[in-house]
Coordinates of all heavy atoms in Angstrom, one line a residue:
H1 N 0.8 -1.2 0.0 CA 0.0 0.0 0.0 C 0.9 1.2 0.0 O 1.8 1.4 0.8 CB -0.9 0.1 1.2 CG -2.0 -1.0 1.2 ND1 -1.9 -2.3 1.4 CD2 -3.3 -0.8 0.9 CE1 -3.0 -2.9 1.3 NE2 -3.9 -2.0 1.0
Y2 N 0.5 2.2 -0.8 CA 1.3 3.5 -0.9 C 0.6 4.4 0.2 O -0.5 4.6 0.3 CB 1.1 4.0 -2.2 CG 1.7 5.5 -2.3 CD1 3.0 5.8 -2.3 CD2 0.8 6.6 -2.2 CE1 3.5 7.1 -2.3 CE2 1.3 7.9 -2.2 CZ 2.7 8.0 -2.3 OH 3.2 9.5 -2.2
Q3 N 1.5 5.0 1.0 CA 0.9 5.9 1.9 C 1.8 7.1 2.0 O 3.0 7.1 2.3 CB 1.0 5.3 3.4 CG -0.3 5.6 4.2 CD -0.3 4.6 5.4 OE1 0.7 4.1 5.8 NE2 -1.4 4.7 6.0
A4 N 1.3 8.2 1.6 CA 2.0 9.5 1.5 C 2.0 10.1 2.8 O 1.3 9.7 3.7 CB 1.4 10.4 0.5
V5 N 2.8 11.1 3.1 CA 2.9 11.9 4.4 C 1.5 12.4 4.5 O 0.8 12.4 5.7 CB 3.9 12.9 4.5 CG1 3.9 13.7 5.7 CG2 5.3 12.2 4.3
Q6 N 0.9 13.1 3.5 CA -0.4 13.7 3.5 C -1.3 12.8 2.7 O -0.9 12.4 1.7 CB -0.4 15.1 3.0 CG 0.5 16.1 3.8 CD -0.2 16.5 5.1 OE1 -1.4 16.5 5.1 NE2 0.6 16.7 6.1
P7 N -2.5 12.6 3.2 CA -3.4 11.9 2.3 C -3.9 12.6 1.1 O -3.9 13.8 1.1 CB -4.7 11.7 3.2 CG -4.6 12.7 4.3 CD -3.2 13.0 4.5
F8 N -4.0 11.8 0.0 CA -4.3 12.5 -1.4 C -5.5 13.3 -1.3 O -5.5 14.5 -1.6 CB -4.3 11.4 -2.3 CG -4.6 11.9 -3.8 CD1 -3.7 12.7 -4.4 CD2 -5.7 11.5 -4.3 CE1 -3.9 13.3 -5.7 CE2 -6.0 12.0 -5.7 CZ -5.1 12.9 -6.3
V9 N -6.6 12.6 -0.9 CA -8.0 13.3 -0.7 C -8.6 12.7 0.5 O -8.5 11.6 0.8 CB -8.8 13.2 -1.9 CG1 -8.3 14.0 -3.0 CG2 -9.1 11.8 -2.3
R10 N -9.5 13.5 1.1 CA -10.4 13.0 2.2 C -11.9 12.9 1.7 O -12.6 12.3 2.2 CB -10.2 13.8 3.4 CG -8.8 13.5 4.1 CD -8.9 14.2 5.4 NE -7.6 14.0 6.0 CZ -7.3 14.4 7.2 NH1 -8.3 14.9 8.0 NH2 -6.1 14.2 7.7
Y11 N -12.2 13.9 0.8 CA -13.6 14.0 0.4 C -13.7 14.1 -1.1 O -12.8 14.7 -1.7 CB -14.2 15.3 1.1 CG -14.1 15.4 2.5 CD1 -13.1 16.1 3.1 CD2 -15.0 14.8 3.3 CE1 -13.0 16.2 4.5 CE2 -14.9 14.8 4.7 CZ -13.8 15.6 5.3 OH -13.7 15.6 6.6
W12 N -14.8 13.6 -1.6 CA -15.1 13.7 -3.0 C -16.4 14.4 -3.1 O -17.4 14.1 -2.4 CB -15.2 12.3 -3.6 CG -15.7 12.3 -5.0 CD1 -14.8 12.5 -6.1 CD2 -16.9 12.0 -5.5 NE1 -15.4 12.4 -7.3 CE2 -16.9 12.2 -7.0 CE3 -18.2 11.7 -5.1 CZ2 -17.9 12.0 -7.9 CZ3 -19.2 11.6 -5.9 CH2 -19.0 11.7 -7.3
V13 N -16.4 15.6 -3.8 CA -17.6 16.4 -3.9 C -18.1 16.4 -5.2 O -17.5 16.6 -6.2 CB -17.2 17.9 -3.5 CG1 -18.5 18.8 -3.6 CG2 -16.6 17.9 -2.1
H14 N -19.4 16.0 -5.3 CA -20.2 16.0 -6.6 C -21.2 17.1 -6.6 O -22.0 17.2 -5.5 CB -20.9 14.6 -6.8 CG -21.6 14.6 -8.1 ND1 -23.0 14.9 -8.0 CD2 -21.3 14.4 -9.3 CE1 -23.4 14.8 -9.3 NE2 -22.4 14.5 -10.1
N15 N -21.3 18.0 -7.5 CA -22.2 19.0 -7.5 C -23.3 19.0 -8.6 O -23.8 20.0 -8.9 CB -21.6 20.5 -7.4 CG -20.7 20.8 -8.5 OD1 -20.5 19.9 -9.4 ND2 -20.1 21.9 -8.5
G16 N -23.2 17.9 -9.3 CA -24.3 17.7 -10.5 C -25.5 17.0 -9.8 O -25.5 16.6 -8.7
F17 N -26.5 16.9 -10.6 CA -27.8 16.2 -10.2 C -27.5 14.6 -10.2 O -26.7 14.2 -11.0 CB -28.9 16.5 -11.1 CG -29.4 17.8 -11.0 CD1 -29.4 18.8 -11.9 CD2 -30.2 18.1 -9.8 CE1 -29.8 20.1 -11.8 CE2 -30.7 19.5 -9.6 CZ -30.6 20.4 -10.6
V18 N -28.3 13.9 -9.4 CA -28.3 12.5 -9.4 C -29.6 12.2 -10.2 O -30.6 12.5 -9.9 CB -28.3 11.9 -8.1 CG1 -28.4 10.4 -8.2 CG2 -27.0 12.3 -7.3
K19 N -29.4 11.3 -11.3 CA -30.5 10.9 -12.1 C -30.6 9.4 -12.0 O -29.6 8.6 -11.7 CB -30.3 11.3 -13.5 CG -30.3 12.7 -13.8 CD -30.2 13.0 -15.3 CE -30.4 14.5 -15.5 NZ -30.6 14.8 -16.9
V20 N -31.8 8.9 -12.0 CA -32.1 7.5 -11.9 C -32.7 7.1 -13.2 O -33.8 7.6 -13.4 CB -33.1 7.1 -10.7 CG1 -33.3 5.6 -10.7 CG2 -32.4 7.5 -9.4
D21 N -32.1 6.3 -13.9 CA -32.6 5.9 -15.2 C -33.0 7.2 -16.1 O -34.0 7.2 -16.7 CB -33.8 4.9 -15.1 CG -33.5 3.6 -14.6 OD1 -32.2 3.0 -14.9 OD2 -34.2 3.1 -13.7
S22 N -32.1 8.1 -16.1 CA -32.1 9.3 -16.8 C -33.2 10.3 -16.4 O -33.5 11.2 -17.1 CB -32.3 9.1 -18.4 OG -31.2 8.3 -18.8
E23 N -33.8 10.1 -15.2 CA -34.9 11.0 -14.6 C -34.2 11.5 -13.4 O -33.6 10.9 -12.6 CB -36.2 10.3 -14.2 CG -37.0 9.9 -15.4 CD -38.3 9.5 -14.9 OE1 -39.1 10.3 -14.4 OE2 -38.6 8.2 -15.0
K24 N -34.5 12.8 -13.1 CA -34.0 13.4 -11.9 C -34.5 12.7 -10.7 O -35.7 12.2 -10.5 CB -34.5 15.0 -11.8 CG -34.0 15.6 -10.5 CD -34.5 17.1 -10.5 CE -34.4 17.6 -9.2 NZ -35.2 18.7 -8.9
M25 N -33.7 12.3 -9.7 CA -34.1 11.6 -8.5 C -34.8 12.6 -7.6 O -34.5 13.8 -7.4 CB -32.8 11.2 -7.7 CG -33.1 10.5 -6.4 SD -31.7 10.3 -5.4 CE -31.2 8.8 -6.0
S26 N -36.0 12.1 -7.2 CA -36.8 13.0 -6.3 C -37.8 12.1 -5.5 O -38.2 11.0 -6.1 CB -37.5 14.0 -7.1 OG -38.8 13.5 -7.5
K27 N -38.1 12.5 -4.3 CA -39.1 11.7 -3.5 C -40.4 11.7 -4.2 O -41.1 10.7 -4.2 CB -39.2 12.3 -2.1 CG -38.0 12.0 -1.2 CD -38.2 12.6 0.2 CE -37.0 12.2 1.0 NZ -37.2 12.8 2.4
S28 N -40.8 12.8 -4.8 CA -42.2 12.9 -5.4 C -42.3 12.0 -6.5 O -43.4 11.5 -6.8 CB -42.4 14.3 -5.8 OG -41.5 14.8 -6.9
L29 N -41.2 11.6 -7.2 CA -41.3 10.7 -8.5 C -41.2 9.2 -7.9 O -41.4 8.3 -8.7 CB -40.2 11.0 -9.4 CG -40.3 12.3 -10.1 CD1 -39.0 12.6 -11.1 CD2 -41.6 12.2 -11.0
G30 N -40.8 9.1 -6.6 CA -40.7 7.7 -6.1 C -39.4 7.0 -6.5 O -39.3 5.8 -6.3
N31 N -38.4 7.7 -7.0 CA -37.2 7.1 -7.3 C -36.0 7.5 -6.4 O -34.9 7.6 -6.9 CB -36.9 7.3 -8.8 CG -36.7 8.8 -9.1 OD1 -36.8 9.6 -8.3 ND2 -36.4 9.1 -10.3
F32 N -36.3 7.7 -5.2 CA -35.4 8.1 -4.3 C -34.9 7.0 -3.4 O -35.7 6.1 -3.0 CB -36.1 9.2 -3.3 CG -35.1 9.6 -2.2 CD1 -34.3 10.6 -2.5 CD2 -35.2 9.1 -0.9 CE1 -33.3 11.0 -1.4 CE2 -34.4 9.5 0.1 CZ -33.4 10.5 -0.2
F33 N -33.7 6.9 -3.2 CA -33.1 5.8 -2.3 C -31.9 6.4 -1.6 O -31.3 7.4 -2.0 CB -32.8 4.5 -3.0 CG -31.9 4.8 -4.3 CD1 -30.5 4.9 -4.2 CD2 -32.5 5.0 -5.5 CE1 -29.8 5.2 -5.4 CE2 -31.7 5.4 -6.7 CZ -30.4 5.4 -6.5
T34 N -31.4 5.7 -0.7 CA -30.1 6.2 0.1 C -29.0 5.3 -0.3 O -29.2 4.2 -0.8 CB -30.3 6.1 1.6 OG1 -30.5 4.8 2.1 CG2 -31.6 6.9 2.1
I35 N -27.8 5.7 0.0 CA -26.6 5.0 -0.2 C -26.7 3.6 0.6 O -26.2 2.7 0.3 CB -25.3 5.9 0.1 CG1 -25.1 6.8 -1.0 CG2 -24.0 4.9 0.1 CD1 -24.1 7.9 -0.8
R36 N -27.2 3.8 1.9 CA -27.2 2.5 2.7 C -28.1 1.4 2.0 O -27.7 0.3 2.2 CB -27.9 2.9 4.0 CG -27.0 3.6 5.0 CD -27.5 3.8 6.3 NE -26.6 4.5 7.2 CZ -26.7 5.7 7.6 NH1 -27.7 6.4 7.2 NH2 -25.7 6.3 8.3
E37 N -29.2 1.9 1.4 CA -29.9 0.9 0.7 C -29.2 0.3 -0.6 O -29.3 -0.9 -0.8 CB -31.3 1.6 0.0 CG -32.2 2.0 1.1 CD -33.3 2.8 0.7 OE1 -33.3 3.4 -0.4 OE2 -34.4 2.9 1.4
V38 N -28.4 1.1 -1.2 CA -27.6 0.6 -2.3 C -26.5 -0.4 -1.8 O -26.2 -1.5 -2.4 CB -26.8 1.7 -3.1 CG1 -26.0 1.2 -4.1 CG2 -28.0 2.6 -3.8
L39 N -25.9 -0.1 -0.6 CA -24.8 -0.9 -0.1 C -25.4 -2.2 0.3 O -24.5 -3.2 0.6 CB -24.1 -0.2 1.0 CG -23.4 1.1 0.6 CD1 -22.6 1.7 1.6 CD2 -22.4 0.7 -0.5
V40 N -26.7 -2.4 0.6 CA -27.2 -3.7 1.0 C -27.1 -4.7 -0.3 O -26.9 -5.9 -0.1 CB -28.7 -3.6 1.4 CG1 -29.4 -4.9 1.4 CG2 -28.8 -2.8 2.7
K41 N -27.3 -4.1 -1.5 CA -27.1 -5.0 -2.7 C -25.7 -5.1 -3.4 O -25.4 -6.0 -3.9 CB -28.1 -4.4 -3.8 CG -29.6 -4.4 -3.3 CD -30.5 -3.7 -4.4 CE -31.9 -3.7 -3.9 NZ -32.7 -3.1 -4.9
Y42 N -25.0 -3.9 -3.2 CA -23.7 -4.0 -3.9 C -22.6 -3.5 -2.9 O -22.8 -2.9 -1.9 CB -23.7 -2.8 -5.0 CG -24.7 -3.2 -6.1 CD1 -25.9 -2.7 -6.2 CD2 -24.3 -4.1 -7.1 CE1 -26.9 -3.0 -7.1 CE2 -25.2 -4.5 -8.1 CZ -26.5 -3.9 -8.1 OH -27.4 -4.1 -9.1
H43 N -21.3 -4.0 -3.2 CA -20.3 -3.7 -2.4 C -19.9 -2.2 -2.5 O -20.0 -1.7 -3.6 CB -19.0 -4.5 -2.9 CG -17.9 -4.5 -1.9 ND1 -17.0 -3.5 -1.9 CD2 -17.6 -5.4 -0.9 CE1 -16.1 -3.8 -0.9 NE2 -16.4 -5.0 -0.4
A44 N -19.4 -1.5 -1.5 CA -19.1 -0.2 -1.5 C -18.0 0.2 -2.5 O -18.1 1.3 -3.2 CB -18.6 0.3 -0.1
L45 N -17.0 -0.6 -2.8 CA -16.1 -0.3 -3.8 C -16.7 -0.3 -5.2 O -16.2 0.3 -6.1 CB -15.0 -1.4 -3.8 CG -14.0 -1.3 -2.5 CD1 -12.9 -2.4 -2.5 CD2 -13.4 0.1 -2.5
A46 N -17.7 -1.3 -5.5 CA -18.4 -1.1 -6.8 C -19.1 0.3 -7.0 O -19.1 0.9 -8.1 CB -19.3 -2.3 -6.9
L47 N -19.7 0.7 -5.9 CA -20.4 2.0 -6.0 C -19.3 3.1 -6.2 O -19.5 4.1 -7.0 CB -21.1 2.3 -4.7 CG -21.8 3.6 -4.6 CD1 -22.8 3.8 -5.7 CD2 -22.5 3.8 -3.2
R48 N -18.2 3.0 -5.5 CA -17.1 4.0 -5.7 C -16.5 3.9 -7.1 O -16.3 5.0 -7.8 CB -15.9 3.8 -4.8 CG -16.2 4.1 -3.4 CD -15.0 3.9 -2.4 NE -15.4 4.1 -1.2 CZ -14.5 4.0 -0.1 NH1 -13.3 3.5 -0.4 NH2 -14.8 4.2 1.2
W49 N -16.4 2.7 -7.6 CA -15.9 2.6 -9.0 C -16.9 3.3 -10.0 O -16.6 4.0 -10.9 CB -15.8 1.1 -9.4 CG -15.1 0.9 -10.7 CD1 -15.7 0.9 -11.8 CD2 -13.7 0.6 -10.8 NE1 -14.7 0.6 -12.8 CE2 -13.5 0.4 -12.2 CE3 -12.7 0.4 -9.9 CZ2 -12.2 0.1 -12.7 CZ3 -11.3 0.1 -10.5 CH2 -11.2 0.0 -11.8
M50 N -18.2 3.2 -9.7 CA -19.2 3.8 -10.7 C -19.0 5.2 -10.5 O -19.1 6.0 -11.6 CB -20.6 3.3 -10.3 CG -21.7 3.8 -11.3 SD -23.3 3.6 -10.7 CE -23.6 4.9 -9.6
L51 N -19.0 5.8 -9.3 CA -18.9 7.2 -9.1 C -17.7 7.9 -9.7 O -17.7 8.9 -10.2 CB -19.1 7.5 -7.6 CG -20.4 7.2 -6.9 CD1 -20.4 7.4 -5.5 CD2 -21.5 8.0 -7.6
L52 N -16.6 7.1 -9.6 CA -15.3 7.7 -10.1 C -15.3 7.8 -11.6 O -14.5 8.6 -12.2 CB -14.1 6.9 -9.7 CG -13.7 6.9 -8.2 CD1 -12.7 5.9 -7.8 CD2 -13.2 8.4 -7.9
G53 N -16.3 7.1 -12.3 CA -16.3 7.3 -13.7 C -17.2 8.4 -14.2 O -17.4 8.6 -15.4
T54 N -17.5 9.2 -13.2 CA -18.4 10.5 -13.5 C -17.7 11.8 -13.1 O -17.0 11.8 -12.1 CB -19.7 10.3 -12.7 OG1 -20.4 9.2 -12.9 CG2 -20.6 11.5 -13.0
H55 N -17.6 12.7 -14.1 CA -17.0 14.0 -13.9 C -17.8 14.5 -12.6 O -19.1 14.6 -12.7 CB -17.1 14.9 -15.0 CG -16.3 16.1 -14.9 ND1 -16.8 17.2 -14.4 CD2 -15.0 16.3 -15.3 CE1 -15.9 18.2 -14.5 NE2 -14.8 17.7 -15.0
Y56 N -17.1 15.3 -11.8 CA -17.8 15.9 -10.7 C -18.8 17.0 -10.9 O -19.6 17.1 -10.1 CB -16.7 16.3 -9.6 CG -16.0 17.7 -10.0 CD1 -16.5 18.9 -9.4 CD2 -14.9 17.8 -10.9 CE1 -15.9 20.1 -9.7 CE2 -14.4 19.0 -11.2 CZ -14.8 20.1 -10.6 OH -14.3 21.3 -11.0
R57 N -18.8 17.5 -12.0 CA -19.8 18.6 -12.4 C -20.9 17.9 -13.3 O -21.8 18.7 -13.6 CB -19.1 19.7 -13.2 CG -18.2 20.5 -12.3 CD -17.8 21.8 -13.0 NE -16.9 22.5 -12.1 CZ -16.2 23.6 -12.6 NH1 -16.4 24.0 -13.7 NH2 -15.4 24.2 -11.7
A58 N -20.7 16.8 -13.7 CA -21.8 16.1 -14.6 C -22.8 15.5 -13.8 O -22.5 15.0 -12.7 CB -21.1 15.2 -15.5
P59 N -24.0 15.3 -14.3 CA -25.0 14.5 -13.6 C -24.6 13.1 -13.4 O -24.0 12.5 -14.4 CB -26.3 14.7 -14.4 CG -26.0 15.5 -15.6 CD -24.6 15.8 -15.6
I60 N -25.0 12.5 -12.4 CA -24.7 11.0 -12.3 C -25.9 10.3 -12.7 O -27.0 10.6 -12.1 CB -24.3 10.7 -10.8 CG1 -23.1 11.3 -10.3 CG2 -24.3 9.2 -10.5 CD1 -22.7 11.1 -8.8
N61 N -25.9 9.4 -13.6 CA -27.0 8.6 -14.0 C -26.9 7.2 -13.4 O -26.2 6.4 -13.9 CB -27.1 8.5 -15.6 CG -28.5 8.0 -16.0 OD1 -29.4 8.0 -15.3 ND2 -28.4 7.3 -17.2
Y62 N -27.6 7.1 -12.3 CA -27.7 5.8 -11.6 C -28.5 4.8 -12.3 O -29.8 5.1 -12.5 CB -28.0 6.0 -10.0 CG -28.2 4.8 -9.4 CD1 -27.2 4.2 -8.6 CD2 -29.4 4.0 -9.4 CE1 -27.2 3.0 -8.0 CE2 -29.5 2.9 -8.6 CZ -28.4 2.3 -8.0 OH -28.5 1.2 -7.4
T63 N -28.0 3.7 -12.7 CA -28.8 2.6 -13.2 C -28.3 1.5 -12.6 O -27.2 1.3 -12.2 CB -28.8 2.7 -14.7 OG1 -27.4 2.2 -15.1 CG2 -29.1 3.9 -15.4
Q64 N -29.1 0.4 -12.6 CA -28.7 -0.9 -12.1 C -27.6 -1.6 -13.0 O -26.7 -2.1 -12.5 CB -29.9 -2.0 -12.1 CG -31.0 -1.6 -11.0 CD -30.5 -1.9 -9.6 OE1 -29.5 -2.6 -9.4 NE2 -31.2 -1.3 -8.7
R65 N -27.8 -1.2 -14.4 CA -26.8 -1.7 -15.2 C -25.3 -1.2 -15.0 O -24.4 -1.8 -15.1 CB -27.3 -1.4 -16.6 CG -26.2 -2.0 -17.7 CD -26.8 -1.7 -19.1 NE -25.7 -2.0 -20.1 CZ -25.9 -2.9 -21.0 NH1 -26.9 -3.5 -21.2 NH2 -24.8 -3.1 -21.8
A66 N -25.4 0.2 -14.8 CA -24.1 0.9 -14.5 C -23.4 0.4 -13.3 O -22.2 0.1 -13.3 CB -24.3 2.4 -14.4
L67 N -24.2 0.0 -12.2 CA -23.6 -0.5 -11.0 C -23.2 -1.9 -11.2 O -22.1 -2.4 -10.7 CB -24.6 -0.4 -9.9 CG -24.1 -0.4 -8.4 CD1 -22.9 0.5 -8.4 CD2 -25.1 0.0 -7.4
E68 N -24.0 -2.7 -11.9 CA -23.5 -4.1 -12.3 C -22.3 -4.1 -13.1 O -21.3 -5.0 -12.8 CB -24.7 -4.9 -12.9 CG -25.8 -5.1 -12.0 CD -27.0 -5.7 -12.6 OE1 -27.0 -6.0 -13.9 OE2 -28.1 -5.8 -11.9
E69 N -22.2 -3.2 -14.0 CA -20.9 -3.1 -14.8 C -19.7 -2.8 -14.0 O -18.7 -3.2 -14.2 CB -21.0 -2.1 -16.0 CG -22.0 -2.6 -17.1 CD -22.2 -1.7 -18.2 OE1 -21.6 -0.5 -18.1 OE2 -23.0 -1.9 -19.1
A70 N -19.9 -1.8 -13.0 CA -18.9 -1.4 -12.1 C -18.4 -2.6 -11.2 O -17.2 -2.8 -11.1 CB -19.3 -0.3 -11.3
S71 N -19.4 -3.3 -10.8 CA -19.2 -4.5 -10.0 C -18.4 -5.5 -10.7 O -17.3 -6.1 -10.3 CB -20.4 -5.1 -9.5 OG -20.2 -6.1 -8.7
D72 N -18.8 -5.7 -12.1 CA -18.0 -6.8 -12.9 C -16.5 -6.2 -13.2 O -15.6 -7.0 -13.1 CB -18.7 -7.0 -14.2 CG -20.0 -7.6 -14.1 OD1 -20.2 -8.3 -13.0 OD2 -20.9 -7.6 -15.1
R73 N -16.4 -4.9 -13.4 CA -15.1 -4.4 -13.7 C -14.1 -4.5 -12.4 O -13.0 -4.9 -12.5 CB -15.1 -3.0 -14.1 CG -15.7 -2.8 -15.4 CD -15.7 -1.4 -15.9 NE -16.3 -1.3 -17.2 CZ -17.2 -0.3 -17.5 NH1 -17.4 0.6 -16.8 NH2 -17.7 -0.2 -18.7
L74 N -14.7 -4.3 -11.2 CA -14.0 -4.5 -10.0 C -13.6 -5.8 -9.8 O -12.5 -6.1 -9.4 CB -14.8 -3.9 -8.9 CG -14.2 -3.7 -7.5 CD1 -13.0 -2.7 -7.6 CD2 -15.2 -3.3 -6.5
Y75 N -14.5 -6.9 -10.0 CA -14.2 -8.2 -9.9 C -13.1 -8.6 -10.8 O -12.1 -9.3 -10.4 CB -15.4 -9.0 -10.2 CG -15.2 -10.5 -10.2 CD1 -15.1 -11.3 -9.0 CD2 -15.0 -11.3 -11.4 CE1 -14.8 -12.6 -9.1 CE2 -14.7 -12.6 -11.3 CZ -14.6 -13.2 -10.2 OH -14.3 -14.6 -10.2
Y76 N -13.1 -8.1 -12.1 CA -12.1 -8.4 -13.0 C -10.7 -7.8 -12.5 O -9.7 -8.5 -12.7 CB -12.5 -7.8 -14.4 CG -11.4 -8.0 -15.4 CD1 -11.2 -9.2 -16.1 CD2 -10.5 -7.0 -15.8 CE1 -10.1 -9.3 -17.0 CE2 -9.5 -7.1 -16.7 CZ -9.4 -8.3 -17.3 OH -8.5 -8.4 -18.3
L77 N -10.7 -6.6 -12.0 CA -9.5 -6.0 -11.5 C -8.9 -6.9 -10.4 O -7.7 -7.3 -10.5 CB -9.7 -4.7 -11.0 CG -8.6 -4.0 -10.2 CD1 -7.6 -3.6 -11.2 CD2 -9.1 -2.6 -9.5
Y78 N -9.7 -7.3 -9.4 CA -9.2 -8.1 -8.4 C -8.8 -9.5 -8.8 O -7.8 -10.0 -8.3 CB -10.2 -8.3 -7.1 CG -10.2 -7.0 -6.3 CD1 -11.2 -6.0 -6.3 CD2 -9.1 -6.9 -5.4 CE1 -11.1 -5.0 -5.5 CE2 -9.0 -5.7 -4.7 CZ -10.0 -4.7 -4.7 OH -10.0 -3.5 -3.9
Q79 N -9.4 -10.1 -9.8 CA -9.1 -11.3 -10.4 C -7.7 -11.2 -11.0 O -6.9 -12.1 -10.9 CB -10.2 -11.8 -11.3 CG -10.0 -13.2 -11.8 CD -10.3 -14.3 -10.8 OE1 -11.1 -14.0 -9.9 NE2 -9.8 -15.4 -11.0
T80 N -7.5 -10.2 -11.8 CA -6.3 -9.9 -12.5 C -5.1 -9.7 -11.5 O -4.0 -10.3 -11.7 CB -6.4 -8.6 -13.5 OG1 -7.5 -8.9 -14.3 CG2 -5.0 -8.5 -14.1
L81 N -5.4 -9.0 -10.4 CA -4.3 -8.8 -9.4 C -4.0 -10.1 -8.8 O -2.8 -10.3 -8.5 CB -4.8 -7.8 -8.4 CG -4.9 -6.3 -8.8 CD1 -5.5 -5.5 -7.7 CD2 -3.4 -5.8 -9.0
G82 N -5.0 -10.9 -8.4 CA -4.7 -12.3 -7.9 C -3.8 -13.1 -8.9 O -2.9 -13.8 -8.3
E83 N -4.2 -13.2 -10.1 CA -3.4 -13.9 -11.0 C -2.1 -13.4 -11.2 O -1.0 -14.3 -11.4 CB -4.1 -14.0 -12.4 CG -5.4 -14.6 -12.4 CD -6.3 -14.6 -13.6 OE1 -5.9 -13.9 -14.6 OE2 -7.4 -15.2 -13.6
A84 N -1.9 -12.1 -11.2 CA -0.5 -11.5 -11.3 C 0.4 -11.9 -10.0 O 1.5 -12.2 -10.2 CB -0.6 -9.9 -11.4
R85 N -0.3 -11.8 -8.9 CA 0.5 -12.2 -7.6 C 0.8 -13.8 -7.7 O 2.0 -14.0 -7.3 CB -0.4 -12.0 -6.3 CG -0.5 -10.5 -6.0 CD -1.1 -10.4 -4.7 NE -1.4 -8.9 -4.4 CZ -2.5 -8.4 -4.0 NH1 -3.6 -9.0 -3.9 NH2 -2.5 -7.1 -3.7
Q86 N 0.0 -14.5 -8.1 CA 0.3 -15.9 -8.3 C 1.4 -16.2 -9.2 O 2.4 -16.9 -8.9 CB -1.0 -16.7 -8.6 CG -0.8 -18.2 -8.7 CD -2.0 -19.0 -9.2 OE1 -3.0 -18.5 -9.5 NE2 -1.8 -20.3 -9.2
A87 N 1.3 -15.5 -10.4 CA 2.4 -15.7 -11.4 C 3.8 -15.1 -10.9 O 4.8 -15.7 -11.1 CB 2.1 -14.9 -12.7
M88 N 3.7 -14.0 -10.1 CA 5.0 -13.5 -9.5 C 5.6 -14.4 -8.5 O 6.7 -14.6 -8.4 CB 4.7 -12.2 -8.9 CG 4.5 -11.1 -10.0 SD 4.2 -9.5 -9.3 CE 5.7 -9.1 -8.6
G89 N 4.6 -15.1 -7.8 CA 5.2 -16.0 -6.7 C 5.8 -17.3 -7.3 O 6.8 -17.8 -7.0
E90 N 5.1 -17.7 -8.4 CA 5.7 -18.9 -9.2 C 7.0 -18.5 -9.9 O 8.0 -19.4 -9.8 CB 4.7 -19.3 -10.3 CG 3.4 -20.0 -9.7 CD 2.4 -20.3 -10.7 OE1 2.5 -20.0 -11.9 OE2 1.3 -20.8 -10.3
A91 N 7.2 -17.3 -10.3 CA 8.4 -16.9 -11.0 C 9.6 -16.8 -9.9 O 10.6 -17.2 -10.2 CB 8.2 -15.6 -11.6
R92 N 9.2 -16.4 -8.7 CA 10.2 -16.3 -7.7 C 10.7 -17.6 -7.3 O 11.8 -17.9 -7.0 CB 9.6 -15.6 -6.5 CG 9.5 -14.1 -6.6 CD 9.3 -13.4 -5.3 NE 8.8 -12.0 -5.6 CZ 7.7 -11.5 -5.1 NH1 6.9 -12.1 -4.4 NH2 7.5 -10.2 -5.4
Q93 N 9.8 -18.6 -7.1 CA 10.1 -20.1 -6.8 C 11.0 -20.6 -7.8 O 11.9 -21.5 -7.5 CB 8.9 -20.7 -6.6 CG 8.1 -20.5 -5.3 CD 6.9 -21.3 -5.1 OE1 6.4 -22.0 -6.0 NE2 6.2 -21.1 -4.0
A94 N 10.8 -20.2 -9.2 CA 11.6 -20.8 -10.2 C 12.9 -20.4 -10.2 O 13.9 -21.0 -10.8 CB 10.8 -20.6 -11.5
M95 N 13.2 -19.3 -9.6 CA 14.7 -18.6 -9.6 C 15.6 -19.4 -8.8 O 15.6 -20.0 -7.7 CB 14.6 -17.2 -9.1 CG 13.8 -16.3 -10.1 SD 13.8 -14.7 -9.5 CE 14.0 -13.8 -11.0

């Protein structure tokens, strides 16, 4: 793990609208939910991955598909890291 003397960032600020399936999120439309509700279904890192793919001034379009794709990409990343670690371990043993 890389650890600098000062942390890179502590907060991420988004100032665009949050949309759900291309509609503005609002209680009156009935498409309102909390992050806690999302985290029951998806891992927090998958949600972060999805959010990091959005410019901080652009609207976030929350869809189940976008979150599932972020989850799949995160799984692929960790799978690749695991395979790389295994290959490096095997290479060290062969030396």
Side-chain angles (χ1 to χ4, degrees):
H1 287 78
Y2 171 77
Q3 223 172 10
V5 175
Q6 295 289 326
F8 181 63
V9 292
R10 288 188 182 189
Y11 303 99
W12 179 77
V13 179
H14 178 264
N15 63 359
F17 287 110
V18 176
K19 295 184 173 192
V20 178
D21 294 322
S22 300
E23 283 190 75
K24 181 182 164 192
M25 177 190 274
S26 83
K27 287 183 181 180
S28 63
L29 292 175
N31 63 358
F32 178 82
F33 52 85
T34 65
I35 290 176
R36 285 188 179 108
E37 292 170 343
V38 173
L39 294 179
V40 169
K41 297 179 182 179
Y42 296 97
H43 195 278
L45 291 176
L47 179 60
R48 286 181 185 176
W49 190 276
M50 185 191 84
L51 294 174
L52 286 172
T54 305
H55 189 273
Y56 75 99
R57 289 187 183 172
I60 294 174
N61 189 27
Y62 175 90
T63 64
Q64 292 290 340
R65 181 181 172 120
L67 202 45
E68 288 171 9
E69 286 177 2
S71 184
D72 290 345
R73 289 181 184 144
L74 189 63
Y75 175 80
Y76 176 77
L77 173 69
Y78 279 108
Q79 189 73 24
T80 303
L81 285 173
E83 290 172 2
R85 284 187 183 131
Q86 183 180 0
M88 289 176 68
E90 291 171 1
R92 282 190 194 128
Q93 289 177 353
M95 294 179 142

